[in-house]
Amino acid sequence: MTPLEKFLLFVAAPTVLALSLIEAVVLSRRDRYDWRALGVSVFDLVVRIAVSILLPLSLAAPIVNWASEHRFATIEFDVWYALPLLFIGQEFCYYWYHRAAHRVRWFWGNHSVHHTPNELNLSAAYRIGPFGKLTGTALFFVPMVLIGFPMRVVLATLTLNLLYQFWLHATWIPKLGWLEYVFNTPSAHRVHHAANPEYLDANFGGVLIVFDRLFGTYVAERDDVPCRYGLVHPMKSYNPLRVEFTQWISLARDLAAARTARAFFGHLLMPPGWSPHGGGSTTAELRSRSREGGAAREGGVAPANITGS
């Protein structure tokens, strides 16, 4: 077991678990608290640790190994630009991984688990899904290896990135002024977890929010649009196996029913909700229907039902 793995297992995991339990006790005394959802998150954490130890496989391993052998340079950490480049480069790669995790159904299969809680709190932070390695998420960080960073260092930096995001899942922290323009904050992350059409597929940054602003995916939290947390089609079950595998089973069924290559690869690589016949429930389609519904209400016409709203 590497030092990083020991740190995650014996320091990070107990710490985030303890802090989430403290928050749970405090919130339960103020109002109701979904203890069963916390139990599902703990299950996910335990299973993810077990999978990481027992099945240390990665779909991306062959490409990572190739990139290590053919890297353009070797960056030593005694130069001034090494740490800033590592931080910014990893953050840039994380942004595109996270965006793909919402926009490519194959990656969404695992990442969707993180969005199943219908209430946002600290326990949701460690409900991440156990199959990240098996889906090949490390592919997005291969550019860091090519320019000269060891993959173990990149993954260590990613771990720190994810640990930073733990506190972002607290709904009781208000907006943080000028920090909202640079850093990912609880307010920005509340938007990310919201299923409202206005908020879908936004705020993908890890520590920083600047790449969202640069690439047009930043959405600010609005006082007039309270966040509804969870999936577009809410996960109502507390069965941990349903939480972990519902999206994978749905994808498998769609792939089995596909009759053309376009349909097969569309289900695999297009956004969640995509349909080969149109009329699906992708983010763009949901927003279009939401706008049509709003226009109909303003015109005094009863809107049609919006699938998944």
Side-chain angles (χ1 to χ4, degrees):
M1 186 177 292
T2 66
L4 176 61
E5 290 171 334
K6 291 180 180 178
F7 169 76
L8 292 176
L9 183 59
F10 299 114
V11 179
T15 299
V16 301
L17 182 59
L19 291 174
S20 69
L21 288 173
I22 293 171
E23 182 199 49
V25 171
V26 173
L27 294 180
S28 66
R29 291 183 175 181
R30 295 178 180 176
D31 198 357
R32 70 179 187 87
Y33 183 86
D34 195 341
W35 288 95
R36 289 190 294 174
L38 184 146
V40 175
S41 296
V42 172
F43 174 88
D44 179 87
L45 175 64
V46 172
V47 170
R48 187 169 67 259
I49 292 173
V51 169
S52 178
I53 295 173
L54 299 176
L55 295 173
L57 304 175
S58 173
L59 185 66
I63 297 178
V64 171
N65 293 336
W66 178 89
S68 298
E69 294 173 359
H70 297 82
R71 61 186 181 274
F72 306 142
T74 298
I75 298 178
E76 303 293 344
F77 284 90
D78 57 355
V79 296
W80 68 268
Y81 58 82
L83 288 178
L85 180 61
L86 175 63
F87 171 69
I88 297 297
Q90 182 277 148
E91 186 72 20
F92 179 79
C93 293
Y94 177 82
Y95 169 84
W96 288 106
Y97 149 68
H98 199 181
R99 185 167 175 172
H102 282 253
R103 302 296 296 160
V104 177
R105 193 174 176 189
W106 168 254
F107 296 113
W108 174 246
N110 185 71
H111 186 66
S112 63
V113 175
H114 184 56
H115 287 265
T116 53
N118 296 313
E119 295 180 6
L120 191 63
N121 51 54
L122 292 179
S123 73
Y126 50 81
R127 189 191 297 192
I128 300 177
F131 303 123
K133 285 186 177 181
L134 298 180
T135 56
T137 56
L139 290 171
F140 291 90
F141 300 90
V142 165
M144 298 297 294
V145 179
L146 283 173
I147 66 174
F149 289 105
M151 191 61 176
R152 59 180 176 79
V153 174
V154 176
L155 293 179
T157 308
L158 174 62
T159 298
L160 296 176
N161 185 322
L162 296 175
L163 286 176
Y164 168 87
Q165 295 183 52
F166 173 69
W167 73 291
L168 302 180
H169 297 79
T171 56
W172 40 270
I173 299 178
K175 290 185 178 181
L176 300 177
W178 67 268
L179 294 176
E180 302 287 343
Y181 292 94
V182 181
F183 296 101
N184 195 7
T185 65
S187 175
H189 208 60
R190 287 193 286 270
V191 168
H192 178 72
H193 272 269
N196 314 55
E198 298 91 339
Y199 291 150
L200 287 175
D201 289 352
N203 302 353
F204 298 114
V207 176
L208 304 176
I209 207 68
V210 292
F211 291 118
D212 285 284
R213 293 183 177 276
L214 181 62
F215 295 112
T217 53
Y218 175 74
V219 175
E221 185 179 21
R222 293 165 48 181
D223 293 334
D224 62 325
V225 183
C227 295
R228 179 183 74 77
Y229 302 114
L231 300 173
V232 170
H233 302 282
M235 171 60 68
K236 298 180 180 180
S237 174
Y238 293 97
N239 182 330
L241 297 181
R242 284 183 178 271
V243 172
E244 301 289 356
F245 291 105
T246 291
Q247 292 294 332
W248 290 114
I249 292 172
S250 175
L251 174 59
R253 287 174 175 167
D254 285 341
L255 293 178
R259 294 294 177 263
T260 65
R262 175 180 177 274
F264 182 90
F265 288 105
H267 285 306
L268 194 65
L269 302 175
M270 293 296 284
W274 177 85
S275 169
H277 310 295
S281 55
T282 65
T283 294
E285 290 166 324
L286 290 173
R287 282 180 175 157
S288 176
R289 292 172 195 164
S290 179
R291 288 192 293 268
E292 291 173 0
R297 284 190 292 271
E298 291 178 2
V301 179
N305 181 53
I306 300 175
T307 302
S309 63

